[in-house]
Amino acid sequence: ATPAEEKDLVIIGGGVAGYVAAIKAGQEGLKVACIEKRGSLGGTCLNVGCIPSKSLLNNSHLYHQILHDTKNRGIEVGEVKLNLEQMMKAKETSVSGLTKGIEYLFKKNNVEYFKGTGAFADEHTVAVNLTEGGETSVRGKNIIIATGSESTPFPGLTIDEKKVITSTGAIALKEVPKKMVVIGGGIIGLEMGSVWSRLGSEVTVVEFLGQIGGPGMDAEISKNIQKTLGKQGMKFKLNTKVVSGDDSGETVKLEVEAAKGGKAETLDADVVLVAIGRRPYTQGLGLENIGLETDNRGRLVIDSEYRTKIPHIRVIGDCTFGPMLAHKAEEEAVAAIEYITKNYGHVNYNAIPSVMYTHPEVAWVGQNEAELKEQGVKYKVGTFPFSANSRAKTNLDTDGLVKFLADAETDRILGIHIVGPNAGEMIAEGTLALEYGASTEDVGRTSHAHPTLAEAFKEAAMATYGKAIHY
Ligand code: FAD
Ligand code: NAD
């Protein structure tokens, strides 16, 4: 065999973590290779996650709005029909445009792209099982593992991506199911549940905990969005666990009961979406060949500079600690490369925003009330409802509120929680404020254009240290 080619950096996984690291490394002048097995770059996010789900969320929202929310706006439409095949094509166009864009960026930044599955042969050598057939290997002075995550299966149900689906099936259904049951009322459950509910499915969400939204969402915000999603037609069974499932028939039957034990009932669905979280993916990586282990949740263990116990092997993104979010993976990718080339890097884990792209959107950054209470922090609260915001009123889109949590003594912002139109864009301002260590008065004394939704943000800040004007 020919000796393996030597690179400054070899990256296993071409998802958001891996491809951003590869581009950054190329920009820094490193000789870099990136190995990806799926046949296209961008990972979960671009191929089966963030991007396709947002395409369907946007277009299903338009469809739903045209069906139910035009007359009062003075728009009379004729017959409205769903063309699901075309909606899926629109999604595919967004996905392929973006994934091909990354291939272009690889070329531009001199990143060598290996299509295949990478596995450690030794601490510096990655064997690549090529997609086209055959094998090769590549050596790296440094190696980054960025192999991402996969959806957590539900015991007793077999995923066929048709009747029992994960998010991957949920972005590709060929027809609108009459009845859909979602196991898990986290971000995936609520986003994909929204899509199919808007397109006409009867959607019931079964959630083990007493609130929806998954980890981190503020309880008051969670209640607020639950009410709105309920008005849109979604049904919720909280404090409820699925005891067993039977997918042998034409429909799927789920046995559910109160989480603390109690009344059992059977739910019947044409499609069951399993959305109970994701778990790190490190299968077939050959970790045993280099003596690297994962923790009890499958995460690769690293230090604050992303190094494993083998210091030239680093780990970033979903397969290690922290929230499983694309923008978190991206920050880590840049920082990891800077640690390699400059010995410093920066990611502020207290200021990573979360966004749920339902309508209205939910977005937050920093801590929620329950977390502050648990830490015994004295805090004050300021809120402002979109029903008192002029732009939301002109848009006839007034559900939701902005909520600030700030240190009771110093006024420093500790958390910002929004449910409302465009919350996902608005939280960028909140994240910047948190990153800069702003007080609510800093935000409240900053001019915000009129009439904008962002004025609700300013006025919620004003309500935290003083009084809002319009409420
Ligand atoms: P991944 O994107 O999973 O990439 C890992 C890549 O490594 C994969 O392409 C895989 O094929 C490859 N790989 C694995 N093992 C090997 C190997 N041995 N050899 C070669 N290649 C390998 N996050 C957000 O921030 N915003 C959102 O709106 C959002 N929406 C989402 C919607 C859905 C339906 C899902 C499922 C996720 C969503 N996420 C969202 C989460 C986001 O997709 C992930 O946090 C992000 O993709 C993590 O990036 P990553 O590079 O760590 O992993
Ligand atoms: P999640 O952790 O957000 O939510 C899972 C939910 O399922 C939780 O509320 C949990 O209490 C519940 N649950 C767990 N086991 C259960 C059971 N047996 N029965 C009933 N309920 C149960 O996970 P997810 O929604 O699957 O999303 C996975 C990951 O993907 C998350 O880390 C999320 O951040 C990421 N993601 C992000 C976005 C976004 O940023 N917009 C979109 C989609 C996915």
Side-chain angles (χ1 to χ4, degrees), residues 164-324:
V164 181
I165 62 175
T166 66
S167 54
T168 300
I171 55 163
L173 290 179
K174 297 233 167 2
E175 54 187 81
V176 181
K178 204 167 159 308
K179 279 190 188 168
M180 176 183 266
V181 171
V182 180
I183 309 180
I187 306 273
I188 291 186
L190 299 179
E191 286 187 353
M192 296 319 299
S194 282
V195 166
W196 294 104
S197 160
R198 292 164 183 172
L199 298 181
S201 211
E202 228 178 85
V203 176
T204 304
V205 177
V206 182
E207 167 58 51
F208 187 77
L209 299 176
Q211 73 169 64
I212 58 167
M217 193 181 287
D218 187 82
E220 182 183 4
I221 300 288
S222 169
K223 274 204 196 85
N224 190 295
I225 185 68
Q226 189 186 335
K227 209 167 116 202
T228 308
L229 294 176
K231 277 195 281 179
Q232 291 168 14
M234 278 169 86
K235 294 201 178 72
F236 296 95
K237 286 188 177 296
L238 303 189
N239 297 304
T240 303
K241 71 173 178 215
V242 177
V243 189
S244 62
D246 177 5
D247 52 21
S248 60
E250 194 140 300
T251 59
V252 187
K253 292 193 181 1
L254 296 178
E255 211 56 55
V256 304
E257 65 175 37
K260 292 194 181 89
K263 213 179 99 220
E265 94 181 272
T266 307
L267 301 178
D268 201 10
D270 301 291
V271 171
V272 169
L273 167 59
V274 177
I276 57 170
R278 293 177 63 80
R279 62 182 188 191
Y281 178 82
T282 53
Q283 255 173 49
L285 249 186
L287 293 178
E288 63 285 356
N289 298 338
I290 52 169
L292 277 188
E293 280 165 10
T294 56
D295 73 358
N296 60 350
R297 289 170 60 188
R299 298 174 297 201
L300 279 156
V301 179
I302 48 168
D303 66 11
S304 61
E305 298 180 11
Y306 310 104
R307 287 176 303 206
T308 63
K309 66 180 187 193
I310 307 168
H312 69 270
I313 302 179
R314 288 178 153 86
V315 189
I316 55 175
D318 279 12
C319 58
T320 187
F321 307 113
M324 290 188 178

Side-chain angles (χ1 to χ4, degrees), residues 12-19 35-38 40-51 53-54 116-119 146-150 167-168 171 187-188 191-192 278 281-285 316-319 323-329 355 357:
I12 310 176
V16 177
Y19 91 68
I35 308 164
E36 169 57 58
K37 67 175 181 174
R38 115 181 13 246
S40 108
L41 294 170
T44 303
C45 179
L46 271 64
N47 291 282
V48 291
C50 327
I51 298 304
S53 63
K54 265 81 256 180
T117 305
T147 49
S149 63
E150 61 178 358
S167 54
T168 300
I171 55 163
I187 306 273
I188 291 186
E191 286 187 353
M192 296 319 299
R278 293 177 63 80
Y281 178 82
T282 53
Q283 255 173 49
L285 249 186
I316 55 175
D318 279 12
C319 58
M324 290 188 178
L325 295 171
H327 44 281
K328 174 265 194 187
V355 181
Y357 298 84

